[in-house]
Amino acid sequence: MDSADYLARRQGRVLRTLMRGIQQGGLTDEEWLILHTENLQAATRGHLSERAMQAIDYFTEHGLYRKPKRLTQLVKLLRREFEAVQRIYTNKGLLTLAPDEETLF
């Protein structure tokens, strides 16, 4: 079973990469490849909407990951997608909360 915390961390990694791309004038081909093939898959666990998949394909086909303004639009879309993934897993009982690292007494 996956942990809600781990899923959120993987989603955060994707958003951090995109935000860094926005700040630095876009992503390189290699950064996009890693984001697209590894990080995004881990962050969504196969639960991306058709619309989001089409947008990501469009980004790949036209090199839009090199444009900060377009990356901003992708961040907005993925935030909604990530919330939906969290809801799907929570509703199906597939997520558990990781134990607290600090004991509160």
Side-chain angles (χ1 to χ4, degrees):
M1 213 180 271
D2 209 350
S3 162
D5 295 331
Y6 294 139
L7 187 62
R9 286 181 191 155
R10 290 190 297 266
Q11 292 172 344
R13 185 181 318 133
V14 168
L15 294 176
R16 279 191 306 278
T17 300
L18 292 172
M19 295 302 289
R20 190 171 51 250
I22 292 167
Q23 294 169 345
Q24 296 176 354
L27 295 175
T28 66
D29 293 342
E30 186 168 334
E31 289 171 323
W32 179 254
L33 180 64
I34 291 168
L35 181 84
H36 181 257
T37 60
E38 296 175 21
N39 297 342
L40 195 54
Q41 297 299 322
T44 60
R45 307 301 274 169
H47 291 282
L48 266 180
S49 70
E50 184 67 28
R51 179 177 179 232
M53 287 189 292
Q54 288 174 346
I56 291 165
D57 288 343
Y58 195 75
F59 268 70
T60 302
E61 290 169 16
H62 299 283
L64 298 180
Y65 53 87
R66 295 183 194 109
K67 302 179 185 292
K69 184 175 180 179
R70 295 298 190 148
L71 289 175
T72 300
Q73 295 169 330
L74 185 59
V75 166
K76 291 176 184 178
L77 175 64
L78 288 178
R79 281 187 181 148
R80 290 188 299 271
E81 291 290 321
F82 290 166
E83 289 174 10
V85 170
Q86 288 278 355
R87 278 193 304 277
I88 288 168
Y89 271 65
T90 301
N91 289 340
K92 289 184 175 184
L94 297 173
L95 290 178
T96 59
L97 292 177
D100 233 353
E101 294 179 10
E102 296 179 24
T103 305
L104 302 174
F105 286 99

